[in-house]
Amino acid sequence: MRVIALSTLKAFWTDSQAHQDARAPTLAWYREVLKADWANPNELKAQFKNASILKDGRVVFNIGGNKYRIVAWINYPYRVVYVRFIGTHKQYDAIDVQTI
């Protein structure tokens, strides 16, 4: 899979001292996604069992021991993962995942 917006992930842990612990789990998630080749949500769910599949290609990944969440939009035919959001659970609760 191609991951669009690695810069979004990097900005999250570099812009705030409080989120520097997100660096290692975020990079681990990123590397794992790069190696993936999902054709559909079922294949993703087989790899990331705790991922939440939403409508319209949106997926929520829990990372860092469920301390952080990544919201991505996935274009399965083109094998592209667009990072739309990364944040804490509290930050996640303040957004609308279908519009972000």
Side-chain angles (χ1 to χ4, degrees), residues 41 44 51-61 70-76 82-85 95-100:
L44 180 150
S52 299
I53 308 295
L54 307 176
K55 60 184 174 181
D56 299 328
R58 300 282 177 139
V59 179
V60 179
F61 297 91
I70 294 174
V71 177
W73 177 77
I74 301 177
N75 184 320
Y76 294 97
Y82 296 91
V83 176
R84 305 298 296 151
F85 168 86
I95 66 165
D96 178 359
V97 295
Q98 291 302 134
T99 59
I100 196 158

Side-chain angles (χ1 to χ4, degrees), residues 8-75:
T8 301
L9 301 175
K10 286 182 180 178
F12 180 71
W13 74 72
T14 57
D15 289 351
S16 172
Q17 290 281 16
H19 301 135
Q20 287 186 349
D21 63 333
R23 183 178 190 273
T26 302
L27 287 175
W29 173 86
Y30 175 78
R31 290 181 187 116
E32 193 168 342
V33 172
L34 283 178
K35 295 177 191 172
D37 186 26
W38 307 312
N40 57 57
N42 292 333
E43 291 180 4
L44 180 150
K45 196 74 170 154
Q47 184 173 358
F48 288 96
K49 294 181 183 9
N50 68 347
S52 299
I53 308 295
L54 307 176
K55 60 184 174 181
D56 299 328
R58 300 282 177 139
V59 179
V60 179
F61 297 91
N62 291 307
I63 62 164
N66 289 334
K67 186 173 181 181
Y68 300 106
R69 289 188 173 179
I70 294 174
V71 177
W73 177 77
I74 301 177
N75 184 320

